[in-house]
C-alpha cells in the first residue's frame, strides 16, 4: 500500500504553532477547535513525537515541534503565495480575508481611504483591521501585514520593512491654554506644562533652525499611543500635544489648535509596512501597498501645490 500524508494536518500544525493558540488558528481557518486539536493529535501519533506542550495558559513548542515548524512553514507560505499570485493573474475580484495591524493615527488618516477603494473594487474581500500601539510581528500575530510609525530605526528581524512615508511632527496647543500661560519661545519654557504624548516618543528632542538641540526631560500628563485621544485633549485645553502635522491639520484649520515653537523641529515619524520576507507577496497585500503608495504620492503632490501658493 502506498504511503501517503495528510498535508492538512501538517498545515494545521503550522498555523497553531505560528499563532500560538488553537482558538486563533481555528478562527482563522474557520474550523471547529476540536477539528484542529484532533489534527494535531493525529500528526503527533503519526510522527511518534510530541510537537506541542499544552497548558491552560499557553502552548509551547517542543524541540521536535520547533524543528518541524522551521522546515515546513516556508513551504506552506510558498504554496500560499503561488496560489494567490495565480489568482491575481486571473484579474478576478479578490476574496478571502486581508488582516492588518496598524496604529490609530495611521489607520484613520491614511489607511481608511485606501481600504474604502479596495472594498469597492473587491466586495468579496473581507478586511480585518486591529488597532495596535506596539510593533507587531505579522507572522506570529496572524496578520498579512502590519504598520509601524517610529522615529527610531527598525530592529533586525526576519520581516521586510518597506518604508512608505515620512511624517513631520509638531507641538500644538489650544488658544485658551496659550492665552492663560503665554506662548513659549523656547522648549525650556514648557517645563511644568501639561504634556500629552506617547511613551515611545520620550524624551522630547527638539532641534532649532540654528542647530541648537534641546531635550525636554519631563513626564507626561496624558500618556497614550492613541493620537486621536492626545489631539482631543489638546483641543480641550488640557495640554501641549505631540502629533504629526498631518493629523493636526484639520484642528489647525478650524482654529481649535495652534502650532508652537515653529523654529524647532522634532524627529520625523517614519511609517513602515512590515511583511514576511518572501519572494512573492499575496495579491491582496500588494494591492494594499500599491494603493498606499498612490495615496502618499497624491498627498505629497498636494503638499507641494499648497506650499507653492
Amino acid at each position: 500500500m502506498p504511503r501517503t500524508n495528510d498535508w492538512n494536518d501538517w498545515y494545521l500544525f503550522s498555523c497553531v504553532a505560528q499563532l500560538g493558540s488553537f482558538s486563533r488558528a481555528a478562527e482563522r481557518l474557520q474550523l471547529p477547535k476540536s477539528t484542529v486539536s484532533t489534527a494535531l493529535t493525529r500528526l503527533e501519533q503519526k510522527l511518534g513525537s510530541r510537537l506541542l506542550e499544552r497548558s491552560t495558559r499557553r502552548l509551547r513548542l517542543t524541540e521536535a515541534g520547533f524543528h518541524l515548524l522551521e522546515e515546513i512553514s516556508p513551504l506552506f507560505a510558498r504554496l500560499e503565495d503561488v496560489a494567490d499570485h495565480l489568482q491575481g493573474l486571473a484579474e478576478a475580484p479578490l476574496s478571502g480575508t486581508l488582516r492588518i495591524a496598524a496604529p490609530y493615527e495611521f489607520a484613520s488618516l491614511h489607511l481608511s481611504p485606501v481600504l474604502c477603494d479596495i472594498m469597492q473594487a473587491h466586495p468579496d474581500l473581507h478586511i480585518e483591521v486591529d488597532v495596535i500601539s506596539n510593533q507587531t510581528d505579522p507572522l506570529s500575530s496572524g496578520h498579512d501585514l502590519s504598520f509601524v510609525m517610529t522615529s527610531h530605526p527598525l530592529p533586525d528581524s526576519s520581516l521586510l520593512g518597506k518604508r512608505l512615508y515620512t511624517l513631520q511632527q509638531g507641538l500644538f496647543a489650544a488658544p485658551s491654554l496659550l492665552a492663560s500661560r503665554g506662548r513659549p519661545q523656547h522648549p525650556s519654557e514648557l517645563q511644568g506644562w501639561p504634556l500629552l504624548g506617547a511613551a515611545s516618543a520620550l524624551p522630547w528632542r527638539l532641534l532649532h533652525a540654528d542647530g541648537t538641540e534641546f531635550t525636554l526631560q519631563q513626564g507626561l500628563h496624558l500618556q497614550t499611543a492613541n493620537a486621536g485621544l492626545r489631539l482631543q485633549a489638546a483641543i480641550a485645553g488640557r495640554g501641549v500635544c505631540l502629533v504629526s502635522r498631518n493629523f493636526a491639520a484639520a484642528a489647525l484649520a478650524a482654529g481649535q489648535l495652534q502650532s508652537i515653537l515653529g523654529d524647532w523641529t522634532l524627529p520625523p515619524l517614519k511609517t513602515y509596512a512590515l511583511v514576511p520576507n518572501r519572494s512573492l507577496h499575496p495579491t491582496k497585500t500588494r494591492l494594499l501597498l500599491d494603493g498606499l503608495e498612490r495615496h502618499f504620492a497624491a498627498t505629497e503632490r498636494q503638499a507641494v501645490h499648497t506650499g507653492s501658493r
Side-chain angles (χ1 to χ4, degrees):
M1 184 176 238
R3 182 181 178 186
T4 61
N5 281 308
D6 186 347
W7 297 114
N8 287 328
D9 291 354
W10 299 67
Y11 180 67
L12 290 176
F13 161 73
S14 177
C15 290
V16 171
Q18 289 181 358
L19 297 176
S21 165
F22 281 98
S23 298
R24 279 192 285 176
E27 180 181 358
R28 176 164 187 177
L29 298 170
Q30 297 182 333
L31 293 172
K33 183 180 176 181
S34 58
T35 299
V36 178
S37 180
T38 300
L40 264 292
T41 301
R42 186 166 55 236
L43 181 61
E44 288 178 328
Q45 291 174 347
K46 181 181 182 63
L47 298 178
S49 299
R50 180 172 287 276
L51 303 174
L52 291 168
E53 295 290 351
R54 302 159 174 84
S55 70
T56 55
R57 292 188 175 181
R58 66 186 184 95
L59 297 177
R60 186 180 66 84
L61 284 170
T62 64
E63 184 176 356
F66 177 79
H67 289 304
L68 179 61
L69 181 64
E70 273 194 323
E71 294 292 335
I72 68 172
S73 61
L75 303 179
F76 283 120
R78 176 66 178 172
L79 282 173
E80 289 180 337
D81 291 346
V82 170
D84 190 88
H85 182 66
L86 291 175
Q87 180 191 6
L89 292 178
E91 296 185 352
L94 296 179
S95 58
T97 303
L98 174 61
R99 296 175 175 86
I100 305 163
Y104 175 88
E105 181 177 352
F106 180 80
S108 62
L109 199 61
H110 303 292
L111 196 57
S112 55
V114 177
L115 289 182
C116 287
D117 290 342
I118 292 176
M119 291 164 66
Q120 181 177 5
H122 302 275
D124 293 330
L125 180 63
H126 181 63
I127 298 174
E128 297 178 3
V129 180
D130 292 324
V131 177
I132 58 172
S133 58
N134 298 314
Q135 182 175 323
T136 299
D137 181 350
L139 280 175
S140 61
S141 63
H143 296 99
D144 293 293
L145 72 169
S146 63
F147 296 93
V148 60
M149 300 174 69
T150 179
S151 56
H152 307 292
L154 288 179
D156 293 333
S157 74
S158 60
L159 301 173
L160 177 64
K162 179 181 177 63
R163 196 168 99 179
L164 296 175
Y165 198 58
T166 298
L167 298 169
Q168 298 301 321
Q169 299 188 96
L171 298 178
F172 306 94
S176 60
L177 183 67
L178 296 176
S180 64
R181 287 181 172 261
R183 179 177 292 273
Q185 302 300 316
H186 190 276
S188 61
E189 297 174 29
L190 290 178
Q191 296 284 356
W193 284 51
L195 305 183
L196 319 172
S200 59
L202 290 175
W204 290 2
R205 293 183 172 88
L206 297 98
L207 177 67
H208 193 266
D210 64 8
T212 304
E213 297 181 4
F214 183 85
T215 299
L216 185 60
Q217 299 278 4
Q218 183 176 318
L220 298 171
H221 186 58
L222 173 63
Q223 177 177 304
T224 175
N226 189 319
L229 185 55
R230 301 199 302 269
L231 194 73
Q232 291 304 315
I235 291 173
R238 298 296 177 262
V240 174
C241 75
L242 169 58
V243 293
S244 73
R245 295 189 178 278
N246 285 15
F247 198 66
L252 287 171
Q256 297 172 306
L257 290 177
Q258 294 181 11
S259 177
I260 63 172
L261 299 174
D263 291 336
W264 296 81
T265 59
L266 293 115
L269 276 178
K270 297 180 179 66
T271 304
Y272 295 91
L274 302 181
V275 293
N277 196 357
R278 301 171 179 170
S279 58
L280 289 176
H281 291 302
T283 304
K284 57 190 177 182
T285 301
R286 296 199 311 273
L287 186 69
L288 177 59
L289 291 176
D290 290 346
L292 283 169
E293 286 190 354
R294 289 192 297 271
H295 166 75
F296 285 126
T299 301
E300 190 69 30
R301 287 194 299 271
Q302 183 179 6
V304 171
H305 176 70
T306 302
S308 63
R309 288 182 184 178

